Amino acid sequence: MSELLYLILPESSSCSTPTISLAKKDVLDSNYVGSFITEIKNIMWIYDIEDFCILYDSKNVNAFLSFFDIEEKGEFYNTRNRLRRLFSNSIYKQCALDISEVDRMTITVLDEEQRVCNIFYDVIKEKCKGRVVGILHKQSFKEQTTDIQLCYQNKSEKISVLPLSISIINSWFAENRTPKRLYEWNPKHGEKGKGQHSPQKGRGAVSVLLSDRNFPKELVGKAYGQTKYAKSDPKNNLYFYDSKHGAYLRFVPGRAQPHTYHAFHIECKELPNEIKSKYMIINQEIL
């Protein structure tokens, strides 16, 4: 059973079609729309290595497009085409759910009143062959909402609510990724800036770990990788900036245990170009 993240777009309050967003809006600035789509695209690229699919509902997409009235046809077609290109990626699955009073899912937003919307618990599992583990959104829920409780026919399941924030999504993957990443110290790279071996024949000096041997364990879950099957990095290494030591950590997967990594520090010039590009986007959000 695959894991699914459900993408919910903001919806216009003028849309009469029942949809799934809990927060309706009167207007949406066109600049906001453009940045919103770019954010989705960037997040999907940064987390391309993760094993999950994005679920979206065509009715919700139409309600999002209804922000653009007859006088904004140009912006409507531009936005619709950008969404089409985005959803053409194989990571996305469309799940056009039939709206029914009987099958309607009740969502209890924690610490808030009960709300009703049209995420169908059983239908999603039946049609998409997966388990919804999180909801991606921007201004479709109150910003402080972190979890919702799905309740249907005596069944209950907690699902994470994730705003389109790289830092929040990164922390979520670190905690919820299946299987979890493990870290194992490799004596070859030493610790605290001192390696355990002299330079290997024909290979130069062995890269060292600047921190103590246990420090990378805190960061392996948050490390970023390159796009799946990147030819420039066939080992599927991971990278994370260690602000404490002012250098990047490279996490190398084990041959027998691909989800277990050892680590050492490298200079910025040793980073693959794709990781540099991803960090440019990550740093923009931080700034």
Side-chain angles (χ1 to χ4, degrees):
M1 180 181 290
S2 63
E3 293 192 336
L4 305 168
L5 291 175
Y6 203 117
L7 176 64
I8 297 182
L9 307 179
E11 298 176 358
S12 171
S13 56
S14 64
C15 181
S16 58
T17 307
T19 49
I20 60 178
S21 182
L22 295 183
K24 308 292 184 184
K25 300 187 178 301
D26 295 325
V27 294
L28 203 61
D29 184 80
S30 59
N31 292 327
Y32 167 91
V33 173
S35 64
F36 171 73
I37 296 176
T38 299
E39 285 175 16
I40 299 172
K41 184 178 179 181
N42 287 340
I43 286 174
M44 294 309 101
W45 177 55
I46 289 171
Y47 296 102
D48 177 81
I49 65 169
E50 305 294 345
D51 186 20
F52 70 98
C53 288
I54 302 294
L55 189 68
Y56 70 96
D57 191 333
S58 58
K59 293 184 178 67
N60 176 235
V61 174
N62 289 335
F64 172 70
L65 291 172
S66 66
F67 277 111
F68 310 105
D69 58 29
I70 192 72
E71 297 178 358
E72 297 180 285
K73 275 191 174 181
E75 188 63 37
F76 169 85
Y77 288 119
N78 177 52
T79 303
R80 185 188 63 179
N81 290 337
R82 290 189 67 185
L83 285 173
R84 280 180 174 175
R85 288 194 296 270
L86 184 71
F87 293 149
S88 65
N89 190 307
S90 60
I91 197 173
Y92 293 92
K93 290 184 177 182
Q94 182 176 174
C95 190
L97 306 178
D98 296 326
I99 295 172
S100 164
E101 288 293 333
V102 176
D103 294 328
R104 184 177 294 173
M105 167 64 68
T106 298
I107 286 189
T108 304
V109 181
L110 301 187
D111 301 324
E112 291 187 24
E113 63 178 303
Q114 254 191 10
R115 308 279 187 92
V116 175
C117 74
N118 298 301
I119 297 177
F120 304 100
Y121 187 69
D122 284 350
V123 179
I124 287 174
K125 285 190 173 182
E126 179 183 349
K127 287 189 175 184
C128 303
K129 309 300 181 186
R131 183 173 70 93
V132 177
V133 294
I135 292 177
L136 291 172
H137 80 100
K138 185 167 185 176
Q139 297 186 5
S140 294
F141 288 81
K142 290 187 176 180
E143 291 302 318
Q144 67 269 24
T145 304
T146 57
D147 296 286
I148 57 174
Q149 196 78 21
L150 295 187
C151 308
Y152 182 65
Q153 292 186 352
N154 298 322
K155 300 174 185 177
S156 178
E157 187 169 349
K158 185 181 290 186
I159 291 182
S160 301
V161 176
L162 305 171
L164 288 176
S165 161
I166 294 172
S167 58
I168 292 176
I169 293 173
N170 202 39
S171 296
W172 182 84
F173 270 120
E175 292 295 324
N176 296 279
R177 183 185 290 109
T178 305
K180 285 187 176 296
R181 295 174 184 168
L182 304 175
Y183 167 74
E184 189 174 80
W185 178 64
N186 188 328
K188 178 177 74 173
H189 300 288
E191 62 178 324
K192 299 180 180 179
K194 295 181 180 181
Q196 299 294 309
H197 294 277
S198 58
Q200 295 179 348
K201 185 178 179 180
R203 295 188 181 181
V206 177
S207 298
V208 297
L209 184 64
L210 300 178
S211 65
D212 66 67
R213 67 182 66 182
N214 296 316
F215 179 71
K217 184 177 180 180
E218 303 172 19
L219 303 177
V220 64
K222 296 182 177 182
Y224 301 96
Q226 293 196 83
T227 305
K228 291 178 182 177
Y229 315 116
K231 294 182 180 179
S232 61
D233 198 359
K235 292 184 178 180
N236 297 319
N237 296 326
L238 304 174
Y239 302 85
F240 195 82
Y241 181 67
D242 173 8
S243 58
K244 185 176 181 179
H245 298 91
Y248 287 87
L249 276 164
R250 174 181 284 164
F251 292 91
V252 181
R255 294 180 181 178
Q257 298 174 302
H259 298 292
T260 299
Y261 298 80
H262 71 269
F264 50 87
H265 285 86
I266 63 173
E267 296 181 22
C268 182
K269 64 182 181 181
E270 298 177 74
L271 279 179
N273 288 332
E274 183 178 325
I275 298 297
K276 290 180 181 178
S277 298
K278 287 184 176 181
Y279 261 99
M280 287 180 64
I281 295 172
I282 294 164
N283 291 335
Q284 283 177 1
E285 179 182 280
I286 294 173
L287 295 175

